[in-house]
Amino acid sequence: MKKIFTLFLMLSNIACFAQDSLYVRKMVNTLASASFWGRGYTKDGMKKTADFLSAAYKNIGLLPMGTDFKQEFAYPVNTFPGKMFVAINGKKLMPGRDFIVNNESAGIRQKGSLEKVDSLNFIAHPNLRIQLKDKLTWSVATTVAQETTIEINRKNFKEIPKEISVDIENKFIENFRASNICGWIKGTKQPDSMLIITAHYDHLGGMGADTYFPGANDNAAGVATLLSLAKYYKAHPQPYSIGFICFAGEEAGLLGSRYFVENPPIPLSKIKFLINLDLVGTGESGMTVVNASVYPKAFSLLNEINQEQKLISKINSRGKAANSDHYFFTEKGVPAFFIYTQGGPAAYHDIFDKAETLPLTEYHDLFKLIVGFNQRIME
């Protein structure tokens, strides 16, 4: 009978993880779809995502940290909602694949000759610059420059740029409204102690009316893993309270997490440890932990659990870095790790970071590692 019961538990766990895999995959597919338009600044991408995540929190059964799941704030951002036309030497280029417009660029409409500065840089007076690049990597700007810079993928366009025709529309929004999505599950024994899981849900949005940046690995995968953990902890209440925060404004400079830390809906002193998930959709080459050397005992514990359960192939240690939403928490004295995985597709801040090519290699093992780590922290 004992063997049958053990087999039943094993089969139940397999079914549970299979179900979680389907849920996580569905979430990544949804968040990286055109419906949310890069979870950014045009076509209401970020607002639609915030509404979607608030509904997901409610459906899971989380409690809001304040009066609502949304913690609203605002910041300036340069956007590109409309025209995005570039032709070099009479050849029309495709946005995202053949060129990107620098995120700080002003809108421009111009035709003319290009003057060579060096082998990689060309200009057209008065304020237009062309740069040849091996990889097109986009980002988000909170200011507008006087100059317009267009980066050309030199792998797709191998001619010397001589003539240009450009028609690009930008719109600077001085007070873009965004929301962090904050929820929690009350602890059963020490509810005033809290463990936090975080992930930013914003990405780069769209560049022009027809091109968007899906952001499957960055960071739909992190949000999907967070939601999966929220489902697990709702079904398995813990001694400590467990919090879940999806940040906006990360790509614009960690603005959402900074706002949360400066305007905390809960006392930061209650947070005993925070795990931030960003770029966790791969893992065949292992994972890296930022702040590992800052909190060596916690990192040793993480490694111990990993070795006991034979989960992630390799865990790399990294020191302090202001490269994701853990940073401002650490600056305020909240112990925190930032976890990201490695290997697999190299797409990053480009149009190729798609759900269909994201393997989610180590989702199960990362899930088990986080649950095991949090369990040991609460002992």
Side-chain angles (χ1 to χ4, degrees):
M1 181 62 71
K2 186 177 180 180
K3 289 182 178 180
I4 294 173
F5 181 69
T6 302
L7 179 61
F8 174 77
L9 286 178
M10 289 175 60
L11 292 173
S12 296
N13 286 335
I14 291 170
C16 178
F17 277 118
Q19 188 177 29
D20 283 346
S21 293
L22 292 173
Y23 176 80
V24 168
R25 173 58 68 184
K26 181 181 179 181
M27 285 296 108
V28 171
N29 291 349
T30 301
L31 292 168
S33 71
S35 299
F36 294 101
W37 206 248
R39 307 185 301 281
Y41 304 94
T42 57
K43 300 190 180 183
D44 285 331
M46 200 180 300
K47 182 183 182 303
K48 289 177 181 176
T49 313
D51 291 344
F52 175 83
L53 292 175
S54 295
Y57 275 30
K58 184 177 181 180
N59 185 57
I60 291 169
L62 302 187
L63 301 169
M65 284 188 181
T67 56
D68 187 74
F69 289 122
K70 293 180 181 179
Q71 183 191 40
E72 295 187 355
F73 62 105
Y75 54 95
V77 65
N78 191 30
T79 74
F80 299 89
K83 295 176 182 177
M84 188 59 57
F85 175 84
V86 174
I88 305 286
N89 299 351
K91 296 180 179 179
K92 182 181 177 181
L93 304 185
M94 184 180 295
R97 187 181 72 88
D98 299 327
F99 79 92
I100 58 171
V101 57
N102 181 276
N103 55 4
E104 292 184 341
S105 294
I108 190 171
R109 185 176 184 182
Q110 183 174 332
K111 292 183 180 180
S113 300
L114 289 165
E115 176 185 328
K116 183 177 180 180
V117 178
D118 55 40
S119 61
L120 299 177
N121 291 275
F122 302 80
I123 59 173
H125 297 289
N127 295 310
L128 178 59
R129 177 176 294 272
I130 304 299
Q131 296 179 333
L132 302 183
K133 297 279 188 174
D134 290 327
K135 184 187 183 305
L136 301 181
T137 303
W138 211 39
S139 192
V140 177
T142 56
T143 58
V144 182
Q146 293 183 341
E147 186 177 65
T148 299
T149 301
I150 298 169
E151 299 180 8
I152 307 294
N153 187 341
R154 61 192 299 195
K155 296 176 182 177
N156 294 344
F157 189 87
K158 299 182 180 180
E159 301 176 18
I160 297 174
K162 296 179 179 179
E163 301 287 333
I164 187 166
S165 177
V166 57
D167 191 358
I168 291 173
E169 176 190 355
N170 86 305
K171 181 180 180 181
F172 181 72
I173 303 174
E174 195 166 328
N175 287 290
F176 179 84
R177 304 297 302 179
S179 302
N180 297 325
I181 313 301
C182 316
W184 67 296
I185 298 165
K186 188 174 182 179
T188 57
K189 295 181 180 178
Q190 300 180 57
D192 285 339
S193 295
M194 183 174 282
L195 302 177
I196 300 278
I197 310 294
T198 67
H200 75 90
Y201 71 89
D202 65 301
H203 193 51
L204 309 179
M207 191 183 76
D210 302 313
T211 301
Y212 79 99
F213 293 74
N217 194 30
D218 186 14
N219 186 33
V223 172
T225 303
L226 177 149
L227 292 174
S228 180
L229 285 162
K231 286 179 62 184
Y232 171 82
Y233 282 123
K234 180 59 182 176
H236 304 86
Q238 301 295 304
Y240 288 12
S241 295
I242 312 290
F244 304 89
I245 311 169
C246 290
F247 291 115
E250 193 270 354
E251 302 289 11
L254 312 181
L255 300 181
S257 52
R258 182 172 187 167
Y259 186 85
F260 184 98
V261 166
E262 292 174 351
N263 304 272
I266 58 169
L268 297 180
S269 59
K270 287 187 175 183
I271 305 174
K272 304 308 177 185
F273 211 94
L274 181 148
I275 294 178
N276 180 52
L277 304 173
D278 195 356
L279 300 163
V280 295
T282 62
E284 64 185 49
S285 299
M287 76 180 208
T288 293
V289 178
V290 174
N291 275 354
S293 61
V294 180
Y295 305 105
K297 290 184 179 179
F299 184 63
S300 177
L301 177 61
L302 193 75
N303 270 300
E304 183 180 316
I305 295 164
N306 188 60
Q307 291 167 6
E308 286 173 358
Q309 299 188 37
K310 297 179 172 57
L311 301 173
I312 310 292
S313 62
K314 182 181 181 183
I315 301 182
N316 301 302
S317 169
R318 186 170 171 180
K320 183 177 179 179
N323 56 352
S324 194
D325 286 313
H326 65 288
Y327 177 71
F328 289 110
F329 287 91
T330 305
E331 289 293 282
K332 290 289 187 178
V334 176
F337 283 159
F338 161 33
I339 292 173
Y340 61 92
T341 57
Q342 291 156 308
Y348 176 73
H349 276 219
D350 55 37
I351 62 170
F352 305 107
D353 183 11
K354 299 178 179 180
E356 55 264 36
T357 54
L358 190 67
L360 295 173
T361 313
E362 286 291 0
Y363 158 69
H364 286 155
D365 288 340
L366 180 58
F367 183 101
K368 292 176 185 176
L369 184 59
I370 292 169
V371 169
F373 178 79
N374 282 346
Q375 184 176 345
R376 294 284 285 275
I377 289 288
M378 289 183 283
E379 290 178 354

